[in-house]
Short mmCIF file of all heavy atoms in Angstrom, two decimals:
data_model
loop_
_atom_site.label_atom_id
_atom_site.label_comp_id
_atom_site.label_asym_id
_atom_site.label_seq_id
_atom_site.Cartn_x
_atom_site.Cartn_y
_atom_site.Cartn_z
N LYS A 384 143.76 193.83 85.55
CA LYS A 384 142.47 193.25 85.21
C LYS A 384 142.59 192.28 84.04
O LYS A 384 141.58 191.83 83.50
CB LYS A 384 141.47 194.36 84.86
CG LYS A 384 141.17 195.30 86.02
CD LYS A 384 140.58 194.58 87.22
CE LYS A 384 140.31 195.53 88.37
NZ LYS A 384 139.78 194.81 89.56
N LYS A 385 143.81 191.94 83.68
CA LYS A 385 144.00 191.04 82.55
C LYS A 385 144.03 189.59 83.00
O LYS A 385 144.24 189.29 84.17
CB LYS A 385 145.30 191.39 81.82
CG LYS A 385 146.54 191.39 82.71
CD LYS A 385 147.72 191.95 81.96
CE LYS A 385 148.96 192.06 82.87
NZ LYS A 385 150.09 192.70 82.20
N ASP A 386 143.80 188.71 82.03
CA ASP A 386 143.82 187.28 82.33
C ASP A 386 145.22 186.84 82.74
O ASP A 386 146.22 187.36 82.25
CB ASP A 386 143.38 186.46 81.11
CG ASP A 386 141.89 186.56 80.84
OD1 ASP A 386 141.16 186.98 81.75
OD2 ASP A 386 141.48 186.25 79.71
N PHE A 387 145.26 185.86 83.62
CA PHE A 387 146.54 185.25 83.97
C PHE A 387 147.00 184.34 82.84
O PHE A 387 146.18 183.70 82.18
CB PHE A 387 146.43 184.43 85.25
CG PHE A 387 146.32 185.25 86.51
CD1 PHE A 387 145.64 184.75 87.61
CD2 PHE A 387 146.89 186.51 86.60
CE1 PHE A 387 145.53 185.48 88.78
CE2 PHE A 387 146.79 187.26 87.76
CZ PHE A 387 146.12 186.74 88.85
N THR A 388 148.30 184.27 82.63
CA THR A 388 148.87 183.31 81.69
C THR A 388 150.14 182.75 82.30
O THR A 388 150.79 183.39 83.13
CB THR A 388 149.22 183.95 80.32
OG1 THR A 388 150.34 184.82 80.50
CG2 THR A 388 148.04 184.72 79.74
N TYR A 389 150.51 181.54 81.88
CA TYR A 389 151.75 180.96 82.38
C TYR A 389 152.96 181.71 81.82
O TYR A 389 154.01 181.75 82.47
CB TYR A 389 151.81 179.47 82.04
CG TYR A 389 150.72 178.68 82.74
CD1 TYR A 389 149.71 178.06 82.01
CD2 TYR A 389 150.70 178.57 84.12
CE1 TYR A 389 148.70 177.35 82.65
CE2 TYR A 389 149.70 177.86 84.77
CZ TYR A 389 148.70 177.25 84.03
OH TYR A 389 147.71 176.56 84.68
N LYS A 390 152.82 182.29 80.65
CA LYS A 390 153.89 183.13 80.10
C LYS A 390 154.11 184.36 80.99
O LYS A 390 155.25 184.78 81.23
CB LYS A 390 153.55 183.56 78.68
CG LYS A 390 153.65 182.46 77.63
CD LYS A 390 153.41 183.02 76.23
CE LYS A 390 153.63 181.96 75.15
NZ LYS A 390 152.58 180.92 75.17
N LEU A 391 153.00 184.95 81.48
CA LEU A 391 153.10 186.09 82.39
C LEU A 391 153.80 185.68 83.68
O LEU A 391 154.66 186.41 84.20
CB LEU A 391 151.71 186.63 82.69
CG LEU A 391 151.60 187.76 83.72
CD1 LEU A 391 152.37 189.00 83.25
CD2 LEU A 391 150.14 188.10 83.99
N PHE A 392 153.44 184.50 84.20
CA PHE A 392 154.09 184.01 85.42
C PHE A 392 155.59 183.79 85.17
O PHE A 392 156.41 184.05 86.05
CB PHE A 392 153.44 182.71 85.88
CG PHE A 392 152.01 182.84 86.33
CD1 PHE A 392 151.21 181.71 86.47
CD2 PHE A 392 151.44 184.07 86.60
CE1 PHE A 392 149.89 181.80 86.89
CE2 PHE A 392 150.12 184.19 87.00
CZ PHE A 392 149.34 183.06 87.15
N ALA A 393 155.92 183.31 83.96
CA ALA A 393 157.34 183.10 83.61
C ALA A 393 158.08 184.44 83.56
O ALA A 393 159.24 184.54 83.97
CB ALA A 393 157.45 182.38 82.28
N ASP A 394 157.41 185.47 83.06
CA ASP A 394 158.00 186.82 83.04
C ASP A 394 158.32 187.29 84.46
O ASP A 394 159.36 187.92 84.70
CB ASP A 394 157.05 187.81 82.39
CG ASP A 394 156.86 187.57 80.89
OD1 ASP A 394 157.71 186.88 80.29
OD2 ASP A 394 155.86 188.07 80.34
N ASP A 395 157.41 186.98 85.40
CA ASP A 395 157.63 187.36 86.80
C ASP A 395 158.86 186.66 87.37
O ASP A 395 159.64 187.26 88.12
CB ASP A 395 156.41 187.02 87.65
CG ASP A 395 155.20 187.89 87.33
OD1 ASP A 395 155.38 188.96 86.71
OD2 ASP A 395 154.07 187.48 87.70
N VAL A 396 159.02 185.38 87.02
CA VAL A 396 160.19 184.63 87.50
C VAL A 396 161.47 185.25 86.95
O VAL A 396 162.47 185.41 87.66
CB VAL A 396 160.09 183.14 87.11
CG1 VAL A 396 161.37 182.40 87.47
CG2 VAL A 396 158.89 182.49 87.78
N LYS A 397 161.45 185.63 85.68
CA LYS A 397 162.63 186.27 85.07
C LYS A 397 162.93 187.59 85.77
O LYS A 397 164.10 187.91 86.06
CB LYS A 397 162.39 186.53 83.59
CG LYS A 397 163.53 187.29 82.90
CD LYS A 397 163.26 187.50 81.43
CE LYS A 397 164.35 188.33 80.76
NZ LYS A 397 164.25 189.76 81.15
N ALA A 398 161.89 188.37 86.05
CA ALA A 398 162.08 189.66 86.72
C ALA A 398 162.69 189.47 88.11
O ALA A 398 163.56 190.25 88.53
CB ALA A 398 160.75 190.40 86.82
N LEU A 399 162.25 188.43 88.79
CA LEU A 399 162.80 188.14 90.12
C LEU A 399 164.26 187.72 90.02
O LEU A 399 165.09 188.14 90.84
CB LEU A 399 161.97 187.06 90.80
CG LEU A 399 162.42 186.65 92.21
CD1 LEU A 399 162.44 187.85 93.15
CD2 LEU A 399 161.52 185.55 92.77
N ALA A 400 164.58 186.89 89.03
CA ALA A 400 165.97 186.46 88.83
C ALA A 400 166.86 187.67 88.56
O ALA A 400 167.99 187.76 89.08
CB ALA A 400 166.05 185.46 87.68
N GLU A 401 166.37 188.62 87.78
CA GLU A 401 167.14 189.82 87.49
C GLU A 401 167.31 190.67 88.74
O GLU A 401 168.39 191.24 88.97
CB GLU A 401 166.45 190.63 86.39
CG GLU A 401 166.50 189.96 85.01
CD GLU A 401 165.75 190.73 83.95
OE1 GLU A 401 164.87 191.55 84.33
OE2 GLU A 401 166.00 190.51 82.75
N GLU A 402 166.26 190.76 89.53
CA GLU A 402 166.33 191.53 90.79
C GLU A 402 167.40 190.96 91.71
O GLU A 402 168.13 191.70 92.37
CB GLU A 402 164.96 191.50 91.47
CG GLU A 402 164.94 192.05 92.89
CD GLU A 402 165.09 193.57 92.94
OE1 GLU A 402 164.99 194.23 91.88
OE2 GLU A 402 165.30 194.10 94.04
N LEU A 403 167.51 189.64 91.73
CA LEU A 403 168.48 188.96 92.60
C LEU A 403 169.83 188.77 91.92
O LEU A 403 170.72 188.13 92.48
CB LEU A 403 167.91 187.61 93.05
CG LEU A 403 166.61 187.67 93.88
CD1 LEU A 403 166.09 186.27 94.19
CD2 LEU A 403 166.83 188.46 95.17
N LYS A 404 169.94 189.32 90.68
CA LYS A 404 171.19 189.25 89.91
C LYS A 404 171.65 187.80 89.69
O LYS A 404 172.82 187.45 89.92
CB LYS A 404 172.28 190.07 90.59
CG LYS A 404 171.95 191.57 90.66
CD LYS A 404 173.05 192.34 91.36
CE LYS A 404 172.82 193.85 91.24
NZ LYS A 404 171.48 194.29 91.70
N LEU A 405 170.70 186.98 89.24
CA LEU A 405 170.97 185.57 88.98
C LEU A 405 170.98 185.35 87.46
O LEU A 405 169.99 185.59 86.78
CB LEU A 405 169.90 184.69 89.62
CG LEU A 405 169.69 184.87 91.13
CD1 LEU A 405 168.49 184.05 91.60
CD2 LEU A 405 170.94 184.48 91.90
N ASP A 406 172.11 184.92 86.94
CA ASP A 406 172.20 184.69 85.50
C ASP A 406 171.42 183.46 85.07
O ASP A 406 170.73 183.47 84.05
CB ASP A 406 173.67 184.53 85.09
CG ASP A 406 174.46 185.82 85.27
OD1 ASP A 406 173.84 186.89 85.14
OD2 ASP A 406 175.66 185.74 85.56
N LYS A 407 171.56 182.39 85.86
CA LYS A 407 170.86 181.14 85.55
C LYS A 407 170.23 180.58 86.82
O LYS A 407 170.81 180.70 87.91
CB LYS A 407 171.81 180.10 84.95
CG LYS A 407 172.00 180.21 83.46
CD LYS A 407 172.58 178.91 82.89
CE LYS A 407 172.53 178.93 81.37
NZ LYS A 407 172.89 177.62 80.80
N ILE A 408 169.08 179.95 86.65
CA ILE A 408 168.38 179.38 87.80
C ILE A 408 167.95 177.95 87.48
O ILE A 408 167.81 177.56 86.32
CB ILE A 408 167.13 180.21 88.19
CG1 ILE A 408 166.13 180.26 87.01
CG2 ILE A 408 167.52 181.60 88.66
CD1 ILE A 408 164.81 180.94 87.36
N ASN A 409 167.73 177.19 88.55
CA ASN A 409 167.03 175.92 88.46
C ASN A 409 165.59 176.18 88.92
O ASN A 409 165.33 177.06 89.75
CB ASN A 409 167.66 174.88 89.37
CG ASN A 409 169.11 174.58 89.01
OD1 ASN A 409 169.38 174.02 87.96
ND2 ASN A 409 170.04 174.98 89.88
N ILE A 410 164.66 175.40 88.39
CA ILE A 410 163.25 175.56 88.77
C ILE A 410 162.67 174.21 89.14
O ILE A 410 162.87 173.21 88.43
CB ILE A 410 162.42 176.18 87.63
CG1 ILE A 410 162.85 177.62 87.35
CG2 ILE A 410 160.93 176.14 87.97
CD1 ILE A 410 162.12 178.28 86.17
N VAL A 411 161.96 174.18 90.27
CA VAL A 411 161.11 173.04 90.63
C VAL A 411 159.68 173.58 90.66
O VAL A 411 159.35 174.45 91.47
CB VAL A 411 161.48 172.43 91.99
CG1 VAL A 411 160.43 171.39 92.40
CG2 VAL A 411 162.85 171.79 91.93
N GLY A 412 158.83 173.09 89.77
CA GLY A 412 157.46 173.59 89.67
C GLY A 412 156.44 172.48 89.85
O GLY A 412 156.52 171.44 89.20
N TRP A 413 155.50 172.71 90.75
CA TRP A 413 154.44 171.73 91.05
C TRP A 413 153.14 172.18 90.38
O TRP A 413 152.70 173.31 90.59
CB TRP A 413 154.28 171.61 92.56
CG TRP A 413 153.18 170.73 93.04
CD1 TRP A 413 152.48 169.80 92.33
CD2 TRP A 413 152.66 170.67 94.37
NE1 TRP A 413 151.56 169.17 93.13
CE2 TRP A 413 151.65 169.69 94.38
CE3 TRP A 413 152.95 171.36 95.55
CZ2 TRP A 413 150.92 169.37 95.54
CZ3 TRP A 413 152.23 171.04 96.70
CH2 TRP A 413 151.23 170.06 96.69
N SER A 414 152.55 171.32 89.55
CA SER A 414 151.26 171.60 88.92
C SER A 414 151.36 172.87 88.07
O SER A 414 152.12 172.91 87.11
CB SER A 414 150.18 171.70 90.00
OG SER A 414 148.89 171.66 89.45
N ASP A 415 150.62 173.94 88.41
CA ASP A 415 150.71 175.19 87.66
C ASP A 415 152.15 175.69 87.63
O ASP A 415 152.60 176.30 86.64
CB ASP A 415 149.81 176.25 88.29
CG ASP A 415 148.42 176.24 87.68
OD1 ASP A 415 148.00 175.18 87.19
OD2 ASP A 415 147.76 177.30 87.70
N GLY A 416 152.87 175.46 88.73
CA GLY A 416 154.27 175.87 88.78
C GLY A 416 155.11 175.15 87.75
O GLY A 416 156.05 175.71 87.18
N GLY A 417 154.78 173.88 87.51
CA GLY A 417 155.46 173.12 86.47
C GLY A 417 155.15 173.66 85.09
O GLY A 417 156.02 173.71 84.20
N ASN A 418 153.90 174.07 84.89
CA ASN A 418 153.52 174.68 83.61
C ASN A 418 154.30 175.97 83.37
O ASN A 418 154.75 176.25 82.25
CB ASN A 418 152.02 174.97 83.59
CG ASN A 418 151.17 173.74 83.78
OD1 ASN A 418 151.68 172.62 83.74
ND2 ASN A 418 149.89 173.93 84.01
N THR A 419 154.42 176.77 84.44
CA THR A 419 155.21 178.00 84.34
C THR A 419 156.66 177.67 84.02
O THR A 419 157.31 178.36 83.22
CB THR A 419 155.13 178.78 85.67
OG1 THR A 419 153.77 179.14 85.92
CG2 THR A 419 155.97 180.06 85.60
#
Side-chain angles (χ1 to χ4, degrees):
K384 297 300 179 182
K385 56 189 175 184
D386 287 343
F387 286 151
T388 70
Y389 296 114
K390 287 185 175 70
L391 175 62
F392 295 165
D394 292 341
D395 291 342
V396 174
K397 176 179 177 286
L399 180 58
E401 290 177 340
E402 170 73 12
L403 298 176
K404 297 179 171 54
L405 305 173
D406 293 330
K407 274 198 170 188
I408 60 174
N409 299 293
I410 294 177
V411 172
W413 176 14
S414 194
D415 269 27
N418 300 349
T419 299

